[in-house]
Amino acid sequence: MTGPRRSLRADLDLGSAEPVGSVRPHVVEPWPRGFSRRSSMRISDVLGALQLEFPAVTNSKLRFLEEQGLVQPVRTPAGYRQYSPADVERLRYVLRQQRDRYLPLKVIGAQLDALDAGDEGEPAGFARLATQDGVRQAPAIAGRWTVAGLAAEAGVDEQLVVELVEVGVLRPGPRGQFDLWARDVVVLAAALAEHGIDARHLRAFRTAAERQVDLVDQVVAPWRGQRAASSRAHAGTLAAEVGELCSQLHTVLVRAGVAELTP
């Protein structure tokens, strides 16, 4: 994955010597095109440019993306990394694909390879869950999935879906089909698997989620038990609001804990 992008950068070095009369082959500029490739930004400058949109991004995250070949900053003689505005846009693309589409880095790398080769089409991916008044809504897709259909929809091996069912992370309905949320679970599980976190490790997530759902249930139970349609509607709105707050609290706690792992 890193080879083609490095060679493209080398090919664009206009200072290289060429034989007199030789015809220079056409070289597609690496994506993104139209941005300066002058490497004058320190890693602190890059963090400053990204942190408004990605407040959790860190030095370690940028170094990891470099190790994965998704961005190639130059090194000064003293060994310091220096980035260009084009590098920053490339990083922004990677971070958005992870955040908004839950895509594994291998898939993002393949997309970047296609963009580098001149494909300017928007890469296909999984849309972020839509929101209404800040509350996440289920994907508006009709139908339900079988194991094979869910694996195909998520772009993963069918065995991953089977393993998620076996450990209880996914639970098919009475007819053996999965609801509309299952795709997002599988996509996220596949992304975690890229880092060695397999299905059996994810059972704790299911357990934690069920405990949070129990808390939400206690809050909305008095409203859900009433006969009036307005009460039941209020129960649905309240459940979504409290559930989203639980989700946000979980996210903040995880981010705080992760921040303590790296200086």
Side-chain angles (χ1 to χ4, degrees), residues 16-25:
S16 59
E18 293 182 358
V20 177
S22 64
V23 178
R24 185 178 181 84

Side-chain angles (χ1 to χ4, degrees), residues 74-94:
V74 301
R75 293 296 187 102
T76 67
Y80 294 105
R81 295 171 176 82
Q82 287 193 317
Y83 297 78
S84 69
D87 290 328
V88 174
E89 290 307 307
R90 201 173 181 91
L91 287 166
R92 199 185 307 277
Y93 175 84
V94 172

